Amino acid sequence: MADTETFKRIAIALPEVTSAPHFDRLAFKVKRIFATLAADGKTANLKFTPEEQEFKCMVAPEVFQAIDNGWGRQGWTTIDIAAASDADIEAALAMAHAHAIGPAPKR
């Protein structure tokens, strides 16, 4: 199973990623934030599309859980780092990162 250092290493290795404090979390950003790591390092939040979120939560409910609020309805999903494999983290971060480098959402 993975740990906080693994999460940080994989996230920061993605192209053009920077990290900085964001409230009580550590945020990972390209053009916009795509992941935030909880201060205790046990969980992180990732930005998926709602469809990706539904799939991840269905396939691996012990690893992924939709955030139960408006942010969650937009695709923000919690990953339990200890329950995740390195491959889970790598795939999830790559997916969230791809959205962050794409075109800005239309309003």
Side-chain angles (χ1 to χ4, degrees):
M1 294 300 141
D3 60 23
T4 302
E5 293 308 312
T6 300
F7 186 92
K8 289 181 190 177
R9 178 181 46 78
I10 294 170
I12 207 71
L14 293 165
E16 302 179 40
V17 172
T18 60
S19 64
H22 181 72
F23 298 99
D24 63 336
R25 304 176 76 83
L26 179 61
F28 297 90
K29 176 181 178 175
V30 183
K31 291 181 181 177
R32 56 191 165 268
I33 294 172
F34 66 92
T36 61
L37 179 64
D40 65 7
K42 293 180 180 181
T43 62
N45 294 337
L46 301 159
K47 177 64 169 93
F48 299 139
T49 66
E51 296 79 17
E52 291 165 343
Q53 177 192 67
E54 181 180 7
F55 178 76
K56 290 279 193 188
C57 293
M58 181 180 61
V59 172
E62 69 285 356
V63 177
F64 299 99
Q65 185 174 40
I67 296 173
D68 189 24
N69 62 22
W71 291 101
R73 288 187 292 281
Q74 295 176 33
W76 282 96
T77 306
T78 299
I79 183 171
D80 181 334
I81 294 173
S85 67
D86 289 6
D88 290 330
I89 291 174
E90 190 169 345
L93 281 167
M95 185 179 287
H97 177 264
H99 299 304
I101 62 173
K106 294 181 181 179
R107 298 199 183 252

